[in-house]
Amino acid sequence: LLQLSSSGTTSTDGNQTISNLTFDGKNHTVNKGIHVRARNNVTFHDITAKDCYQNAMYAQGPGISPEPVFPATPPDSAMMSNLQIYNCLFANSGLSPIGATWAYGTIDLHWIKDSSVHHCVFDETAYGGFAIKGTWGTRVTINNCDLHVAAYMPAWSSRVKGFGLEFWYLTSSDIFD
């Protein structure tokens, strides 16, 4: 529904603020509500993104290939910086496809630094999946968020619980409240 994207191997300054909008995936017929790629200085506040098939929001820096072996730190050029997300509602968009052994996150964050997510509500109770999912983050703060996940992921089995947060290779960061 909304895409903010830069091509190339480094992030460019977006200097954009998106606020007071609703992104409706129309009963999971839209893959992503919001897609941000390689844009620095982007703020989302007071938005609702809901009922998307894969993600309410997917944000990623340009990354590098092949990925470094953790605990190596990716170069700054691989990272997107200063993504700010606050006072938002993200709902029912971290679908775990039937038969899959993985799940999407209501928001997926990859290759980000100097960024924050705070005072948001994540309601992922209808379809399973993750509230917040990501890889390769540094100096990321996630705080004062309400994470609501399904008691189990229907596509996996009744033995697998929904997850509030899964973040791989997160360094020099804070998660609290």
Side-chain angles (χ1 to χ4, degrees):
L1 296 173
L2 174 68
Q3 181 168 320
L4 306 173
S5 184
S6 296
S7 60
T9 58
T10 61
S11 292
T12 59
D13 285 342
N15 299 322
Q16 294 154 312
T17 298
I18 310 297
S19 63
N20 299 305
L21 293 173
T22 295
F23 300 92
D24 188 339
K26 301 294 183 191
N27 198 30
H28 302 103
T29 57
V30 173
N31 273 351
K32 293 176 175 69
I34 302 163
H35 185 187
V36 182
R37 183 184 182 285
R39 303 288 284 185
N40 297 327
N41 305 314
V42 177
T43 299
F44 291 91
H45 70 87
D46 299 291
I47 64 163
T48 297
K50 62 181 184 171
D51 299 325
C52 299
Y53 178 72
Q54 289 181 351
N55 314 103
M57 177 185 286
Y58 187 93
Q60 70 176 53
I64 56 173
S65 183
E67 287 189 18
V69 176
F70 190 77
T73 303
D76 277 351
S77 63
M79 310 296 272
M80 181 172 76
S81 67
N82 199 28
L83 175 66
Q84 306 298 316
I85 304 167
Y86 61 93
N87 297 338
C88 297
L89 169 64
F90 299 101
N92 298 323
S93 299
L95 191 63
S96 177
I98 299 298
T101 58
W102 48 270
Y104 297 106
T106 297
I107 66 170
D108 265 334
L109 306 173
H110 305 278
W111 303 96
I112 63 170
K113 67 176 184 173
D114 302 321
S115 298
S116 69
V117 179
H118 62 91
H119 297 93
C120 293
V121 174
F122 297 87
D123 182 356
E124 195 49 51
T125 56
Y127 297 99
F130 298 87
I132 304 171
K133 187 175 181 181
T135 57
W136 294 110
T138 189
R139 296 182 306 276
V140 175
T141 301
I142 300 171
N143 67 295
N144 296 304
C145 293
D146 291 327
L147 308 177
H148 305 276
V149 296
Y152 70 95
M153 293 184 182
W156 290 4
S157 77
S158 61
R159 297 181 310 266
V160 178
K161 305 280 186 204
F163 294 93
L165 175 67
E166 179 187 65
F167 215 115
W168 293 59
Y169 318 125
L170 183 64
T171 60
S172 301
S173 298
D174 294 306
I175 300 171
F176 57 95
D177 293 335

